[in-house]
Amino acid sequence: QKSCEDALEQEISMAKTTDSCSTSPDSDPVSLSVSFDAGWSTRGSGRSYNSDTGHSVLIGEKSRKCLAFESLSRRCRTCEYAEKHRKKAKKHTCYKNYAGSSKAMEPTMGVKLVKKIHSDKCRVAEFTMDNDSTTMTQINNKFENVKKKSDTNHVKKCISNALYGMNGSHKELKNSKTVKYIVKMVMYSIQQTQGKPDKLKSRLGEVVPHIYGCHENCSDWCSFKKDPTKPHQYKSLPYKKPLSNPLLRADLEKLIELYQSRAEKLAYLGSSQANEAFNTTVASKAPKTRYLVLH
């Protein structure tokens, strides 16, 4: 707890320094950008979660330190033993503090963590997490003007999953090298135009023509522009040649249009990688493959 308090003071100080040009009065709460991700003590299948405990932390964007932590448990071994034997439970620290479903732990912890650091000194202005809309809905119901930032890794994963989902219709996408190349091109466009939604829209529009060997609209990032006299080689594509399937091109253009429509959000990405690293550390101390002994 002391570590989190110290980290929060450091985060506020760093945010003040970064936003020193702001016209906001010194008495106003400092706006913080944080990242969030939940972890569970047992593995989830992606469709069902049955863990009895969950944990999460808020990590500051400036300091990269834990500003607050939360853990929820649906069980207490001492209470259960007393209830089973119809006895009065002995005096103990009871860790049971949650009665909902395992999946609902994440939004509950998200709200609790934001509440912990909201004060006269600071407030959460930007919240980086995966694409779980339930958590953001509950946070926005409790707190005003909290903007959600998508996590870079989750955006990349969504693009990759969309392409692999198309491989039943297009044999070119059965080759993982092709999928990785397209994902790389899209992510380069997103990462190199952060903070510029209009430029991001334009840059995304250059991706599909480039992959199909058309470089007329490519900007200075395209190596073909450096020396148009030399044939452009696609080192990451099979046979080092551009794609040619018109049906695949039509589907790729539809996918790009979808991401162009989300340019306002994609132009301001964050990262919850530090939270995932924290959850990995927790799992190394209490592996998900082992039975977790409850207090």
Side-chain angles (χ1 to χ4, degrees):
Q1 185 64 47
K2 180 67 167 61
S3 171
C4 288
E5 290 170 2
D6 292 342
L8 181 58
E9 289 297 328
Q10 183 182 349
E11 184 73 19
I12 293 172
S13 176
M14 294 176 76
K16 280 183 178 179
T17 303
T18 306
D19 302 333
S20 58
C21 297
S22 173
T23 56
S24 301
D26 292 338
S27 58
D28 286 354
V30 177
S31 296
L32 302 182
S33 294
V34 300
S35 59
F36 166 83
D37 190 38
W40 288 267
S41 58
T42 58
R43 295 189 184 279
S45 65
R47 292 189 180 134
S48 64
Y49 297 85
N50 59 1
S51 177
D52 288 320
T53 62
H55 58 268
S56 60
V57 292
L58 281 189
I59 293 182
E61 187 180 84
K62 309 291 185 187
S63 65
R64 310 304 292 162
K65 294 181 180 180
C66 297
L67 309 182
F69 66 91
E70 185 62 58
S71 62
L72 298 179
S73 177
R74 299 194 298 181
R75 297 176 60 189
C76 171
R77 193 171 184 177
T78 303
C79 291
E80 288 179 358
Y81 179 85
E83 184 178 352
K84 181 179 179 180
H85 292 84
R86 298 181 181 180
K87 295 180 180 179
K88 183 179 179 181
K90 64 180 182 181
K91 189 175 180 180
H92 68 290
T93 301
C94 183
Y95 289 93
K96 184 178 180 180
N97 58 357
Y98 181 73
S101 67
S102 297
K103 183 60 178 173
M105 283 182 181
E106 188 166 22
T108 302
M109 289 189 288
V111 172
K112 283 177 173 285
L113 287 172
V114 174
K115 187 177 181 180
K116 279 186 177 183
I117 67 171
H118 251 64
S119 66
D120 294 335
K121 294 198 296 183
C122 66
R123 69 178 188 88
V124 173
E126 295 180 330
F127 197 83
T128 299
M129 61 170 298
D130 58 22
N131 296 325
D132 180 16
S133 58
T134 307
T135 301
M136 276 313 301
T137 299
Q138 292 198 20
I139 289 174
N140 287 324
N141 287 340
K142 299 280 186 181
F143 307 96
E144 294 182 353
N145 303 321
V146 179
K147 179 183 176 183
K148 191 231 177 183
K149 292 173 71 175
S150 296
D151 173 57
T152 303
N153 286 338
H154 282 86
V155 170
K156 183 177 180 180
K157 192 181 294 183
C158 286
I159 298 169
S160 181
N161 289 341
L163 291 171
Y164 279 117
M166 293 159 57
N167 68 13
S169 305
H170 306 292
K171 62 181 182 180
E172 294 89 345
L173 298 181
K174 292 184 183 294
N175 190 321
S176 61
K177 286 181 66 177
T178 304
V179 172
K180 288 177 181 178
Y181 178 71
I182 298 172
V183 171
K184 181 176 73 173
M185 294 297 296
V186 176
M187 289 308 299
Y188 275 170
S189 300
I190 294 172
Q191 290 166 346
Q192 292 174 2
T193 53
Q194 285 295 287
K196 303 171 184 176
D198 292 335
K199 190 173 181 180
L200 172 56
K201 276 186 182 180
S202 175
R203 177 67 185 277
L204 284 172
E206 300 170 9
V207 171
V208 176
H210 175 85
I211 295 172
Y212 274 77
C214 180
H215 308 284
E216 292 177 6
N217 298 321
C218 289
S219 45
D220 55 5
W221 60 270
C222 176
S223 59
F224 178 83
K225 291 284 187 179
K226 296 175 183 177
D227 190 356
T229 60
K230 288 185 179 181
H232 184 79
Q233 284 196 338
Y234 295 80
K235 296 180 181 178
S236 300
L237 288 178
Y239 311 111
K240 298 183 180 180
K241 293 182 178 180
L243 300 179
S244 58
N245 184 346
L247 296 177
L248 173 59
R249 179 168 184 165
D251 284 343
L252 289 177
E253 285 173 346
K254 286 180 183 178
L255 182 63
I256 291 297
E257 285 175 8
L258 176 64
Y259 281 92
Q260 284 178 314
S261 68
R262 300 174 181 173
E264 288 291 338
K265 291 183 178 180
L266 294 174
Y268 302 95
L269 294 180
S271 174
S272 60
Q273 197 167 2
N275 300 74
E276 293 173 6
F278 171 83
N279 290 338
T280 300
T281 301
V282 173
S284 71
K285 307 300 178 184
K288 294 184 178 185
T289 53
R290 296 181 189 174
Y291 176 74
L292 182 65
V293 178
L294 296 166
H295 292 283

